[in-house]
Amino acid sequence: MKAQRLSTAGALVAALVLGGCKEVGPNYKAPAMPAPPAYSDDGHNGNWSSAAPADGANRGDWWAIYQDEELNGLEQRCATANQNIAAALHAYEQAHDLVRENKASLYPTVSIGGSATRNRISETKPLHTPGTPTNYWDFLIPLTISWEPDFWGGIRRQIESSAASAQASAADLANTRLSLQGMLAVTYLQIRGIDLQAQLLRSTLDSFEQTLKLTQDRMKGGLASQSDVEQAETQLEQTRAQLINLGVQRAQSEHAIAVLVGEPAVNFHITENPMTGDPPSIPTGIPSQILQRRPDIAGAERRVASANALIGVAKAAYYPNVTLGAGGGVESDLISQVFNAGSAMWNAGPTASETIFDAGRRKAQVDYAVAQREQATALYRQQVLSAFRDVEDQLAALRVLEEEATVTGRAVASAKRSTELSTMRYKRGLATYLEVLTNQTIELNNERTAASLVTERIVASAQLQIALGGGWNSTQLPRN
């Protein structure tokens, strides 16, 4: 009969353990976030929206679209040597290890020990039997097993929360890579833009030197004044100063890239290579895809899932704590008899406890967890809105900059013709040097603006790729 009762109790425990109880707390459902059917600037120019959703989207090395081998090499060095990326990687490893730690709570804890103590008891203690030895050895080797079955799902909810947090940390790692490699690409392209400006200024300096020589020759022939020569020299030196100033900007940008690739700035240098061409084609897809393509959005969504699971952890505190324990071992006052059959000891049995009154502590913990989830949800939705804005900003920039570049191109052509005509008139004595100087200044300003627009357009294309997630996808998150 006793054996039957033990068998029934064992079967009940096994059923609870194997079948488990329903996990307390709400099951997770991703927050709803409606997305517009299309970007407002999408379709204004085929250079960045010609492809169908996700067609041609870069799946990793998004910067390779610029076909620059030096940039490709720098990006690879950034991925392996940047210390912020390394720190983000170790943060993910910590989150992953926390999942492993929480999973261990599903299993029993087994411990073994050992002790050997020399003891003395008082000869005058109550109920002491005269003649009984007061000095003795106690050799003990205990074995204990303790297990708290997850009847209410609190541990499983904790695992669910930590797993979602680990996924959020993985998304943070991806976002750190995207941000830093994006910063590198933008800075590198800006250096190429500086090189284009420097090329333009060197060419202009050659032209201004010829103009200065022409003015000096005309002064020798009595056809120009010393004032004309001084104005020509002033213009030449001002342009030379502008070229020198570009060197400061370039050096600072080089130093920024050196830090990104994990190198001292002392000996780091990027070869000069002026930027040319138009921005490459960048397919945008549809706005709803950005929820899966941006690692910062994925990280924010996973934090909502983590906070949701913590509500279940808090609610599990309303249920009894049940622990199954067993202990055993051997104990003797003689080391030679420690492993005798008569030295064995054991105990086994369940324990349970339930909080009857806590002055609303558990209710406050549940409310706190709910508020955490609502906060995470609000931050997730704000992140989505910011992502939509980022893409719209760059699409608008590409559209407006293209229009500006077209107009500026016409202005450059007109300024060149005006400078040529005024120079010809000056050579024939039909115009003053001031007219030539004015037209040369206007031409240089327009050319510098056009060169700046080349850089701004290509940089905007890089920033658009970053805003779209750089080819990342939420399927790259770890599943366990």
Side-chain angles (χ1 to χ4, degrees):
M1 188 68 179
K2 182 178 179 182
Q4 183 179 1
R5 287 197 301 268
L6 289 174
S7 176
T8 302
L12 177 60
V13 171
L16 288 171
V17 171
L18 296 177
C21 296
K22 182 179 180 181
E23 297 175 10
V24 297
N27 292 324
Y28 178 66
K29 184 178 181 182
M33 192 65 196
Y39 297 108
S40 61
D41 271 282
D42 203 8
H44 288 287
N45 189 309
N47 285 343
W48 64 81
S49 60
S50 58
D55 289 348
N58 199 300
R59 294 303 177 189
D61 300 343
W62 55 269
W63 52 83
I65 198 170
Y66 301 105
Q67 299 180 2
D68 190 309
E69 290 301 321
E70 187 170 14
L71 174 59
N72 295 343
L74 289 171
E75 292 287 4
Q76 295 302 323
R77 289 162 65 183
C78 177
T80 57
N82 185 274
Q83 295 306 300
N84 286 325
I85 293 178
L89 173 61
H90 294 312
Y92 165 66
E93 290 172 344
Q94 294 172 50
H96 179 266
D97 294 337
L98 184 59
V99 177
R100 294 168 52 208
E101 177 184 345
N102 288 330
K103 283 185 175 181
S105 299
L106 291 172
Y107 300 92
T109 299
V110 181
S111 61
I112 191 171
S115 65
T117 60
R118 180 66 174 171
N119 304 281
R120 174 181 172 81
I121 60 175
S122 172
E123 295 181 358
T124 60
K125 65 177 289 188
L127 304 179
H128 174 66
T129 304
T132 302
T134 55
N135 298 307
Y136 65 93
W137 282 96
D138 185 10
F139 299 97
L140 175 65
I141 303 177
L143 175 70
T144 59
I145 302 174
S146 178
W147 182 31
E148 185 174 344
D150 190 27
F151 290 143
W152 325 120
I155 297 176
R156 281 167 287 171
R157 288 298 192 192
Q158 186 66 63
I159 294 171
E160 180 184 337
S161 176
S162 61
S165 293
Q167 290 178 314
S169 184
D172 290 344
L173 171 60
N175 192 55
T176 299
R177 285 198 183 105
L178 175 62
S179 298
L180 294 175
Q181 291 183 303
M183 186 185 303
L184 190 154
V186 167
T187 306
Y188 180 86
L189 294 173
Q190 288 172 338
I191 287 178
R192 293 290 177 245
I194 291 173
D195 293 343
L196 177 61
Q197 294 273 353
Q199 182 185 59
L200 169 63
L201 288 175
R202 291 191 189 99
S203 175
T204 303
L205 283 173
D206 292 340
S207 176
F208 286 175
E209 286 174 351
Q210 294 174 10
T211 301
L212 174 60
K213 185 177 184 305
L214 171 64
T215 307
Q216 290 171 335
D217 291 341
R218 287 177 61 82
M219 187 187 72
K220 291 176 182 178
L223 301 175
S225 66
Q226 181 65 34
S227 175
D228 292 345
V229 174
E230 296 298 334
Q231 287 178 329
E233 288 182 347
T234 299
Q235 184 184 48
L236 177 65
E237 295 306 321
Q238 285 179 339
T239 305
R240 185 171 286 125
Q242 293 177 36
L243 178 60
I244 294 172
N245 180 260
L246 289 179
V248 176
Q249 299 177 38
R250 196 181 198 281
Q252 291 175 343
S253 296
E254 279 185 336
H255 299 162
I257 291 180
V259 174
L260 289 171
V261 298
E263 290 191 15
V266 179
N267 298 319
F268 185 82
H269 182 67
I270 294 176
T271 57
E272 186 169 336
N273 182 17
M275 178 180 289
T276 58
D278 294 321
S281 174
I282 309 295
T284 61
I286 57 177
S288 62
Q289 289 181 323
I290 205 169
L291 304 182
Q292 287 77 43
R293 293 173 63 174
R294 289 263 300 226
D296 55 346
I297 292 178
E301 185 273 332
R302 288 290 79 201
R303 287 186 172 87
V304 178
S306 176
N308 184 80
L310 290 178
I311 298 175
V313 175
K315 287 187 174 182
Y318 280 105
Y319 297 86
N321 292 324
V322 180
T323 302
L324 304 180
V330 290
E331 184 177 20
S332 175
D333 60 346
L334 297 175
I335 192 169
S336 60
Q337 297 180 359
V338 167
F339 295 103
N340 290 353
S343 299
M345 60 177 185
W346 63 269
N347 62 79
T351 60
S353 64
E354 167 68 354
T355 301
I356 298 176
F357 176 75
D358 63 3
R361 179 182 300 166
R362 288 171 294 179
K363 177 65 167 57
Q365 291 172 342
V366 172
D367 292 344
Y368 178 82
V370 171
Q372 279 188 312
R373 182 190 62 185
E374 297 309 308
Q375 179 190 27
T377 300
L379 293 174
Y380 163 73
R381 288 175 174 156
Q382 183 62 37
Q383 195 68 45
V384 174
L385 292 174
S386 297
F388 288 152
R389 181 204 62 197
D390 291 343
V391 176
E392 292 285 1
D393 283 351
Q394 301 312 319
L395 287 173
L398 284 168
R399 173 178 57 81
V400 173
L401 290 172
E402 183 182 26
E403 295 173 359
E404 186 179 357
T406 301
V407 174
T408 302
R410 294 198 297 264
V412 168
S414 178
K416 283 182 178 293
R417 290 192 299 269
S418 181
T419 300
E420 291 171 358
L421 290 173
S422 61
T423 302
M424 187 181 301
R425 283 165 49 82
Y426 177 66
K427 289 179 180 179
R428 295 176 180 177
L430 301 176
T432 64
Y433 182 70
L434 180 60
E435 180 180 327
V436 176
L437 179 65
T438 301
N439 286 323
Q440 286 179 332
T441 301
I442 293 173
E443 180 185 355
L444 177 58
N445 289 338
N446 285 332
E447 286 181 328
R448 291 204 66 179
T449 299
S452 296
L453 288 171
V454 172
T455 305
E456 289 180 42
R457 292 176 65 201
I458 294 182
V459 166
S461 73
Q463 291 173 330
L464 175 59
Q465 292 197 81
I466 297 168
L468 291 169
W472 186 86
N473 193 282
S474 58
T475 58
Q476 299 176 31
L477 288 176
R479 290 302 168 194
N480 190 331

